[in-house]
Amino acid sequence: MQHLLSRRVGAPALSAAFAAALGCSAVSNVDYAPCSSSADCRSAFGLGYACGEQQLCEKSEGFERCEEVFPVDLFEAPDKYRDVIVFGSLFDHTEGTGDRVLVNSATLAVMEANMSGLGDRSFAIVHCDYQENAKIDDLTAEQAAVEAAKYLVDQLGAPAIVGPGTSGLAEAVYKELAKSAHAERTLIVSPSATSPSLTEIDTDRPGLFWRTAPPDSLLGAKLAQYMEDEVITDAVVVYEGNTYGKGLAIELQKNFEDKIELDEYQDPSEIPSKVVEIANQNATPDNFAIVFIASDVAQVTSFLNAAGANAFYADPEVKIFFGDTAYNQDVIKLTQSKAAALYPNVRGVFPGEPTARKVFQFFNTTYDATFPEKATDSSYASHTYDATWLAIYGAAWSYFQNDQKIEGPAMAEGLTKISAGETYDVVSTTWNGIKTAFKSKRSINVSGASGELDYDPMTEETTAPVIRWTIVPDGGGFQFDTVMEEM
């Protein structure tokens, strides 16, 4: 679905007038223009040109998964955007259960930054889709994320990528871009890749991998405490066998003091059989809990809907706990017809309570006035907005302290300057003040829509309070009810 302010377009067609002015072939090769890097070609011919294998500038063929853009004519007018600072985003665009709100949140930050730009330059963003969809191609989500990242960096010269949304994909993308084949080192800012293993993925300081959500070492401890407070003494943890699932399951196991069994699955098709298996093996469920950990909403809804058909899970003695993925309005929308009877047994945790924050309210009001979807439809909307602004702040530091060049390492250095000093809210109205501070080499402290973004200088990780959530009736429907835990 196309939203109000970005649209899907094909690869840019080179106009006859523009081709004539350059004296080049309108096919694909600017055959008289040697280059040593793709940056040379973008500087000479505009966005959409890269340095080919023969060290000659060539027009990029485009990539079908990366056709949604802001501004909307970004690919149609390459000369107009010769000096634009292009970011990329990597999210799942599946209609209904995908990351549409996150895509919009990233676009909103870019729109707001362009109200005054950066010097004489503006920002753009190219949104890439890593959903598995045979109508597009035969790529897995990981393959699609990696190929899209390579396109963003090698063909468009993106100095920063917002996303990916999951830990496994973030790890795969980071490792691919760390290879020497990709000369332009790129900053990655994920809003929701929370695996603890990602803390050590980049040992350089400043590193090129950042995130606006805390690692699951925090969430695992808080989830264990919630279970103990509910007097759970026996638990089965069913988890997706990827970086995120394994990471949170291990953190939970480390922190839970009573009996806990880990049960991994590799394919989402296994979920219904896991539901039946657990019910058959636990006939007397005293003080029993099942914890389900998966990286996407579709798997959470698959589990709940399957459990809704099994009387075992409706027993008040059976508690069903979830991690952060399940704190999403789509879970309620997609399960209430089959699993509403289980809602009194459902529990979960999520890092942060943004909706009570002044900065979140500013973001939420602006978002809802701009897009047809609601910001609150996705639990990581505010984290994505903040992640995009962090990339923008990094670009500002690089611009002022790196001879006006926008490069990933200098952007990462800028992110080490946002956790100490005068406080600025992450909203459009503070952008000019932040530019002034960075021009003067002053560090600042930023307060985001997702929470306080105070990064530890050693780990480059942030922290957050944790909410406990349940699902309660609401005027004929259902909603999340939350309680803040102490830090």
Side-chain angles (χ1 to χ4, degrees):
M1 181 179 69
Q2 299 175 10
H3 60 60
L4 292 181
L5 298 163
S6 12
R7 72 176 178 197
R8 299 176 179 232
V9 297
L14 187 65
S15 71
F18 187 36
L22 295 176
C24 64
S25 163
V27 182
S28 65
N29 188 279
V30 186
D31 53 18
Y32 71 93
C35 54
S36 59
S37 70
S38 292
D40 296 337
C41 302
R42 288 189 293 272
S43 177
F45 303 106
L47 184 67
Y49 288 84
C51 193
E53 293 182 0
Q54 297 180 343
Q55 300 295 289
L56 298 172
C57 290
E58 299 177 351
K59 185 165 73 72
S60 170
E61 294 181 359
F63 187 44
E64 185 178 3
R65 287 177 172 271
C66 301
E67 294 180 343
E68 184 172 341
V69 297
F70 177 82
V72 295
D73 61 342
L74 180 67
F75 285 157
E76 297 171 350
D79 193 43
K80 177 180 176 181
Y81 296 107
R82 184 186 301 269
D83 296 322
V84 74
I85 301 165
V86 180
F87 293 160
S89 85
L90 294 173
F91 290 113
D92 182 336
H93 294 200
T94 302
E95 189 167 355
T97 60
D99 299 325
R100 168 53 49 196
V101 174
L102 308 190
V103 171
N104 293 351
S105 299
T107 295
L108 180 61
V110 171
M111 289 172 52
E112 292 177 342
N114 280 348
M115 292 178 184
S116 60
L118 180 59
D120 59 354
R121 303 182 68 179
S122 62
F123 294 91
I125 190 162
V126 177
H127 297 294
C128 297
D129 178 8
Y130 55 66
Q131 67 168 295
E132 292 188 18
N133 188 337
K135 293 180 179 179
I136 302 174
D137 52 40
D138 60 358
L139 299 179
T140 66
E142 180 174 314
Q143 291 169 335
V146 166
E147 290 303 312
K150 289 160 61 177
Y151 168 74
L152 289 168
V153 174
D154 298 339
Q155 301 298 316
L156 302 184
I161 291 174
V162 179
T166 71
S167 298
L169 298 186
E171 180 178 10
V173 167
Y174 176 84
K175 288 181 176 179
E176 176 62 36
L177 295 186
K179 294 179 181 178
S180 60
H182 309 289
E184 300 177 61
R185 301 181 67 212
T186 303
L187 178 71
I188 298 173
V189 190
S190 174
S192 53
T194 55
S195 172
S197 66
L198 295 173
T199 299
E200 302 300 329
I201 195 171
D202 185 355
T203 55
D204 291 340
R205 291 293 179 266
L208 287 169
F209 178 79
W210 292 70
R211 46 188 170 183
T212 50
D216 282 333
S217 49
L218 170 70
L219 206 64
K222 294 298 186 180
L223 182 54
Q225 184 61 55
Y226 196 179
M227 292 167 63
E228 289 168 5
D229 289 347
E230 293 271 340
V231 201
I232 301 300
T233 58
D234 187 2
V236 175
V237 182
V238 178
Y239 66 94
E240 185 180 7
N242 58 15
T243 302
Y244 165 74
K246 290 178 181 178
L248 183 52
I250 290 170
E251 290 298 324
L252 176 58
Q253 185 180 46
K254 286 195 305 186
N255 287 279
F256 187 68
E257 296 181 356
D258 290 296
K259 180 183 175 183
I260 192 166
E261 175 187 342
L262 301 187
D263 188 355
E264 178 180 313
Y265 69 90
Q266 292 293 331
D267 192 306
S269 65
E270 300 175 53
I271 293 172
S273 63
K274 290 289 185 185
V275 168
V276 173
E277 180 182 314
I278 290 167
N280 292 341
Q281 292 177 354
N282 296 274
T284 54
D286 295 334
N287 304 109
F288 176 78
I290 176 171
V291 184
F292 185 77
I293 300 172
S295 60
D296 63 61
V297 166
Q299 294 182 61
V300 172
T301 59
S302 174
F303 172 84
L304 266 178
N305 285 331
N310 193 310
F312 173 82
Y313 295 90
D315 189 319
E317 290 295 323
V318 177
K319 298 298 186 292
I320 307 171
F321 287 84
F322 292 96
D324 52 311
T325 304
Y327 185 60
N328 188 303
Q329 290 294 331
D330 284 338
V331 169
I332 295 176
K333 293 176 185 176
L334 297 171
T335 63
Q336 60 183 334
S337 65
K338 296 182 178 180
L342 306 185
Y343 288 171
N345 296 355
V346 171
R347 311 281 189 271
V349 290
F350 185 80
E353 171 65 313
T355 57
R357 294 175 52 79
K358 177 187 68 175
V359 189
F360 176 85
Q361 295 298 335
F362 190 99
F363 155 70
N364 185 59
T365 300
T366 307
Y367 180 102
D368 287 354
T370 309
F371 301 101
E373 300 82 9
K374 296 292 184 183
T376 51
D377 285 347
S378 178
S379 49
Y380 280 105
S382 57
H383 294 78
T384 305
Y385 178 77
D386 288 347
T388 311
W389 268 114
L390 259 57
I392 292 165
Y393 297 158
W397 181 269
S398 184
Y399 180 85
F400 291 118
Q401 308 302 331
N402 190 37
D403 296 325
Q404 299 188 3
K405 297 190 294 291
I406 311 298
E407 298 175 327
M411 296 172 71
E413 181 183 352
L415 297 190
T416 68
K417 312 297 181 182
I418 63 169
S419 297
E422 182 181 358
T423 297
Y424 291 83
D425 290 340
V426 180
V427 294
S428 58
T429 54
T430 63
W431 174 219
N432 285 334
I434 291 172
K435 285 184 286 187
T436 299
F438 278 2
K439 186 175 183 179
S440 302
K441 295 187 178 181
R442 285 191 286 114
S443 293
I444 60 173
N445 182 58
V446 298
S447 179
S450 64
E452 299 297 332
L453 297 170
D454 293 326
Y455 287 93
D456 184 303
M458 300 300 295
T459 64
E460 296 180 348
E461 296 285 17
T462 188
T463 188
V466 171
I467 59 169
R468 296 178 175 186
W469 57 262
T470 55
I471 301 176
V472 298
D474 175 40
F478 297 89
Q479 66 175 6
F480 288 107
D481 186 49
T482 63
V483 177
M484 180 75 74
E485 265 205 331
E486 295 295 328
M487 287 287 286

